[in-house]
Amino acid sequence: MFSNSRSRLSLKVGALFAATALALTACGGDDAATPDPADTAAETAAESMEETTEETAEETQEGEEQGASDLTITFIPKQLNNPYTDVVLGGGETGAEEAGFAEWNIVGPLDASASSQVSFINAETQAATDVIVIAANDPDAVCSALNEARDGGASIVAFDSDANPDCRDVFISQVVAEDVAKIQVEMIAEQIGGSGDIAILSATANATNQNEWIKFMEEELASNPDYADINLVAKVYGDDDDTKSFQEAQGLLQAHPDLKGIISPTTVGIAATARYLSTSEYKGEVALTGLGLPNEMRSFVKDETVSEFALWDPAQLGYVAAYAGKALADGTISGEVGDTFSAGEMGEREVGENGIVIVGPPVRFNADNIDEYDF
């Protein structure tokens, strides 16, 4: 805004001096009763310059008062064209608009490989974007680029999948990671009767959130006596790609014919696995649970391919992330433990240990409640 005001001032002043020069060279005659055109032009120029300066000062003050409206925010998801991501980003756009950002953008790769986000981060750094919100495909692969963005003045918000804490300001987490893991283990145990072989079909091998959940799942299976008869026999990765996830699910059943259950902590993976099971001989024989979108899983619940799965409201992730970015850019928070900020309809949020902000608890979806949700 300030640069635009300066430009308008320069144009107006330049035009006034040109008009004055023209008046001086075009005037003629020597009549004492007639005011000197040069004096008149000079007075007019001085008055106009004074008015212009006052106008510019008002514009500058207004710009300072509305400084927040100049802020820009860009969301960089793991990958574009992912149904779960679309819901998250929809919440992000709503939050960005409500928080008062002047401009918000979405950029990102079509694949979820480790380094695919780096070029997009670099482009935002060059564009001097104020806030970058990222779901990291790899916590370390993006770190150097994010630190360059921070050096350039950007605030960094990680959401959904964390970046290395050394290169972001806060992380907006769905829920407490351990709780996400435990609820999935609990569901699979209930569905297979507390004993048998199970497998995990994850997203990418480097995904921060997936790996943290899997770590807690393994710890829960190993330490909780209620799960002593459950054996985790395989972990495979569908790379959040529908076709590959479908093939990995098929491969699991071929490699482990005694498999009793599959946990897929990824919305792409659980939907692809459900599609495979629904038309296979394993329907009703192999349990499937994990994290899924109600709208994608509804038909599989109703045809009894899946009995229960879980998730949070993904839109809330993007929504809170936008408000966190605004608070960082405004200087309301710095990412320190105990910092608080307003997140619109989500209320006050507090920054916890390691710069983590928790959105809310997961919900179990089954035949009794799935029609109550639309996302």
Side-chain angles (χ1 to χ4, degrees):
M1 180 174 289
F2 301 152
S3 60
N4 288 343
S5 297
R6 284 196 295 268
S7 297
R8 287 195 292 271
L9 174 60
S10 297
L11 289 171
K12 290 176 180 177
V13 172
L16 288 168
F17 278 126
T20 302
L22 181 61
L24 289 170
T25 55
C27 65
D30 190 22
D31 191 341
T34 303
D36 188 338
D39 293 338
T40 302
E43 291 173 6
T44 300
E47 290 171 0
S48 297
M49 283 185 65
E50 183 177 353
E51 292 173 0
T52 301
T53 302
E54 291 174 356
E55 177 187 339
T56 302
E58 291 174 0
E59 290 174 345
T60 300
Q61 181 179 0
E62 179 183 357
E64 290 172 346
E65 291 172 353
Q66 298 178 351
S69 67
D70 290 335
L71 295 175
T72 57
I73 183 171
T74 293
F75 298 88
I76 306 178
K78 290 181 182 178
Q79 63 181 144
L80 299 177
N81 300 329
N82 177 312
Y84 171 83
T85 296
D86 291 343
V87 179
V88 175
L89 294 175
E93 289 183 297
T94 300
E97 182 175 10
E98 289 184 12
F101 282 94
E103 181 182 333
W104 52 93
N105 298 294
I106 296 170
V107 299
L110 295 176
D111 65 281
S113 62
S115 61
S116 59
Q117 296 169 308
V118 171
S119 62
F120 295 97
I121 299 169
N122 292 338
E124 295 307 310
T125 301
Q126 293 172 2
T129 299
D130 295 297
V131 178
I132 296 175
V133 181
I134 184 168
N137 282 324
D138 183 294
D140 297 314
V142 296
C143 214
S144 177
L146 289 178
N147 276 330
E148 287 185 19
R150 294 174 91 185
D151 290 343
S155 297
I156 307 298
V157 178
F159 72 155
D160 184 38
S161 183
D162 202 3
N164 188 314
D166 291 337
C167 51
R168 51 81 169 156
D169 297 303
V170 295
F171 170 50
I172 311 303
S173 180
Q174 302 89 340
V175 287
V176 177
E178 189 170 358
D179 293 345
V180 177
K182 286 182 175 180
I183 198 171
Q184 293 179 84
V185 172
E186 185 177 322
M187 287 188 296
I188 200 67
E190 293 170 355
Q191 293 172 31
I192 67 173
S195 65
D197 294 345
I198 66 170
I200 294 174
L201 194 161
S202 186
T204 63
N206 297 311
T208 314
N209 54 352
Q210 302 281 316
N211 288 337
E212 189 170 22
W213 297 333
I214 292 170
K215 179 191 74 172
F216 284 124
M217 286 183 207
E218 292 175 325
E219 291 177 359
E220 182 71 0
L221 288 169
S223 64
N224 192 327
D226 292 340
Y227 307 135
D229 295 326
I230 297 176
N231 304 309
L232 177 61
V233 297
K235 292 182 290 185
V236 296
Y237 303 92
D239 292 343
D240 264 349
D241 177 82
D242 178 77
T243 300
K244 185 175 181 184
S245 297
F246 185 95
Q247 293 169 344
E248 291 291 347
Q250 187 177 31
L252 277 175
L253 274 302
Q254 292 173 349
H256 305 278
D258 295 328
L259 203 64
K260 292 190 66 176
I262 298 172
I263 299 175
S264 188
T266 158
T267 60
V268 175
I270 194 173
T273 304
R275 194 171 78 255
Y276 170 69
L277 291 177
S278 68
T279 58
S280 75
E281 61 185 292
Y282 303 104
K283 179 181 177 180
E285 300 296 324
V286 175
L288 170 65
T289 193
L291 305 178
L293 292 164
N295 288 353
E296 288 194 327
M297 298 299 293
R298 184 172 286 105
S299 64
F300 301 120
V301 170
K302 294 193 172 184
D303 73 4
E304 299 183 346
T305 299
V306 175
S307 62
E308 190 172 49
F309 63 98
L311 197 65
W312 44 88
D313 184 345
Q316 293 178 352
L317 273 178
Y319 186 85
V320 174
Y323 273 95
K326 177 65 161 50
L328 285 165
D330 284 348
T332 304
I333 64 172
S334 62
E336 295 297 318
V337 176
D339 282 353
T340 61
F341 63 95
S342 174
E345 294 180 359
M346 294 294 293
E348 287 290 313
R349 295 284 143 172
E350 183 173 351
V351 180
E353 293 292 332
N354 297 317
I356 298 175
V357 179
I358 302 297
V359 172
V363 176
R364 290 193 185 200
F365 302 99
N366 50 48
D368 293 333
N369 69 355
I370 196 166
D371 284 337
E372 299 173 12
Y373 299 88
D374 183 20
F375 62 87

